[in-house]
Amino acid sequence: MRFSKRMNRFGESIFTQLLEIKKQRIEAGEFVVDLSVGTPNIPPADHIREALKQGIEDETQYVYAINDKENLLEAVSKWYKKRYDVQLDSKTEICSLLGSQEGLAHIALCVVDEGDVVLVPDPCYPVFADGPLLAGAEIYYMPQKKEYDYIIQLEAIPEEVVKRSKMILVSYPNNPTTAIAPDSFYMDLIAFARQHDLIVVHDNAYSELVFDGKKVGSFLAYEGAKEVGVELNSLSKTYGMAGARIGFCVGNEAVVSRMKRLKSNIDYGMFLPVQKAAIAAITGDQLCVTTTKSIYQSRRDILCEGFTRIGWTMDKPEATMFVWASIPMHYKSSSEFAMDLVQQAGLIVTPGSAFGPSGEGYVRLALVQDEEVLLQAIKAVDESGILKVVL
């Protein structure tokens, strides 16, 4: 059998590897706490589940959706106006996605040709680079460095790289670094994109998970943003609907129309009962969002304060459902530290190297376990002695 050369660009997902380690420990009856994958354990609110329940009990709802239903598109338009003060045309500037990851995987197919360059944050969630690679693009990594508060320095991108680029991917609040970008970054980004004829794709999956009284909005709220790009949003983390796969591509009409055309050739749309649940989520009582944010902030405090107390200093993130932590100084690599954590303490985290070259020296911990489980993990790491320097 002969296979495509493009698959040579991809290795096995780090999350698949971690899942196998988890499976082996569970089968052996060993202690394990999984903080590797950002899969929420906070269920959707009652009114969202009720809408889904009503949908699946309706025997007429099992046909192909084909397109986004008008009431869903109108709900998204109203949601963006109310939450972000962004006006969207429901007919031309909104396209549903089967999760924002699907959008990140496919949008490059609408934009780039073989050999074009895509500007990608480093570190970044893996699909940011995998999507363009699938489309045959070359990747240029834009470092997100701690000394700049993890904000991309656009002026540092070489001119010869920018000239060959068609698309720039950014995401704040950021996964994995948890950083929030200032207004000035977005204004510079829009000017940069306009100057160099770049399409901007902004992933805004964590706009609701912002802590300590802070608040962020939408890339599209900045003047000129809709002229140069789109935003991807998701209900996975905000509403605890990760498995339902609900996301949206919104903004520039030309980009959205091409996403719609691409999707019309590769899928039959979002399951109709799921569309009903999405409408219930973004139009219903938003107290569930406040509650979810509060839960993640409390978990953040317990995790960061607990590990700092036993010798692994962690900065508290301003946003997202993750903690981005430097590895202890006596470790040479994030993979080595992550493997020791799981083998000696039963704690599964994601090595920073899985997120790109600049991720080395860090690990990412997801706040996806209840508080008592986090305390157990802290105790297990402390008792393992892994944080102590062996002389």
Side-chain angles (χ1 to χ4, degrees):
M1 293 183 284
R2 293 176 292 174
F3 298 96
S4 70
K5 294 178 181 178
R6 74 171 57 86
M7 289 308 298
N8 295 331
R9 302 167 184 163
F10 304 96
E12 186 180 32
S13 164
I14 182 62
F15 300 111
T16 302
Q17 297 174 36
L18 292 170
L19 182 62
E20 182 59 30
I21 294 173
K22 178 181 178 179
K23 179 182 176 183
Q24 292 172 2
R25 287 191 67 89
I26 291 174
E27 290 177 348
E30 298 174 321
F31 175 81
V32 61
V33 173
D34 189 355
L35 302 184
S36 63
V37 182
T39 179
N41 71 335
I42 304 171
D46 290 345
H47 67 278
I48 301 173
R49 286 182 288 165
E50 182 59 31
L52 180 61
K53 179 180 177 181
Q54 291 179 9
I56 63 176
E57 289 180 345
D58 183 347
E59 62 185 22
T60 69
Q61 299 297 290
Y62 288 84
V63 297
Y64 291 131
I66 305 296
N67 298 313
D68 299 325
K69 296 308 174 186
E70 186 175 330
N71 55 352
L72 174 64
L73 297 174
E74 290 176 353
V76 174
S77 179
K78 291 177 181 178
W79 172 46
Y80 253 75
K81 180 60 179 174
K82 183 177 181 179
R83 169 60 183 89
Y84 303 108
D85 196 25
V86 170
Q87 190 70 51
L88 294 173
D89 187 318
S90 63
K91 293 182 173 60
T92 62
E93 296 179 337
I94 304 170
C95 172
S96 78
L97 305 169
L98 303 181
S100 58
Q101 176 151 326
E102 183 248 314
L104 289 163
H106 289 148
I107 196 165
L109 294 172
C110 304
V111 175
V112 304
D113 294 309
E114 292 276 347
D116 288 336
V117 175
V118 174
L119 305 174
V120 174
D122 173 33
C124 69
Y125 191 66
V127 76
F128 275 60
D130 290 346
L133 287 173
L134 188 65
E138 295 180 21
I139 301 299
Y140 178 83
Y141 283 112
M142 304 177 292
Q144 298 183 111
K145 298 182 178 180
K146 188 173 184 178
E147 56 261 40
Y148 299 116
D149 298 322
Y150 301 110
I151 303 302
I152 296 166
Q153 304 299 293
L154 298 170
E155 68 277 6
I157 304 171
E159 184 67 26
E160 62 271 18
V161 172
V162 178
K163 286 180 179 179
R164 296 179 53 221
S165 302
K166 275 190 176 178
M167 185 168 73
I168 179 169
L169 291 162
V170 295
S171 178
Y172 295 103
N174 185 257
N175 174 15
T177 71
T178 77
I180 297 174
D183 293 342
S184 59
F185 170 78
Y186 289 108
M187 292 185 285
D188 290 345
L189 175 64
I190 292 165
F192 183 78
R194 185 182 288 117
Q195 178 185 354
H196 298 290
D197 192 24
L198 296 172
I199 292 174
V200 176
V201 178
H202 180 254
D203 180 31
N204 201 25
Y206 300 98
S207 63
E208 301 302 336
L209 301 186
V210 182
F211 310 129
D212 305 317
K214 297 181 175 67
K215 189 174 183 178
V216 300
S218 166
F219 158 70
L220 297 176
Y222 295 90
E223 184 176 355
K226 203 187 291 186
E227 298 170 13
V228 297
V230 293
E231 180 163 274
L232 306 186
N233 214 320
S234 168
L235 307 193
S236 294
K237 310 307 192 299
T238 303
Y239 298 97
M241 304 179 74
R245 311 311 303 134
I246 305 171
F248 302 100
C249 175
V250 301
N252 184 272
E253 180 179 341
V255 178
V256 171
S257 69
R258 282 162 177 78
M259 277 297 291
K260 287 184 176 181
R261 189 191 312 171
L262 176 67
K263 285 177 62 60
S264 73
N265 286 278
I266 60 176
D267 69 57
Y268 282 111
M270 188 186 299
F271 185 36
L272 292 175
V274 172
Q275 292 196 37
K276 291 179 179 293
I279 294 169
I282 60 179
T283 63
D285 187 347
Q286 299 300 293
L287 177 61
C288 59
V289 177
T290 303
T291 301
T292 295
K293 179 167 63 174
S294 177
I295 291 172
Y296 281 123
Q297 180 170 323
S298 180
R299 292 177 180 180
R300 175 204 68 171
D301 292 344
I302 286 174
L303 189 78
C304 293
E305 292 171 7
F307 275 122
T308 298
R309 187 172 58 251
I310 66 171
W312 184 9
T313 302
M314 291 185 181
D315 296 328
K316 290 184 179 181
E318 294 182 291
T320 78
M321 57 188 295
F322 304 108
V323 174
W324 186 240
S326 298
I327 64 176
M329 293 183 65
H330 56 284
Y331 275 92
K332 296 180 179 180
S333 75
S334 57
S335 293
E336 178 191 3
F337 179 55
M339 290 305 296
D340 275 3
L341 272 178
V342 65
Q343 290 172 354
Q344 298 183 37
L347 176 61
I348 305 179
V349 302
T350 306
S353 55
F355 300 102
S358 294
E360 185 53 78
Y362 297 85
V363 292
R364 192 196 72 176
L365 301 89
L367 302 169
V368 293
Q369 300 289 349
D370 295 336
E371 294 179 7
E372 59 270 24
V373 178
L374 297 179
L375 290 170
Q376 291 173 12
I378 294 165
K379 181 180 179 182
V381 172
D382 190 24
E383 293 177 347
S384 73
I386 192 174
L387 301 178
K388 295 178 174 62
V389 179
V390 178
L391 299 178

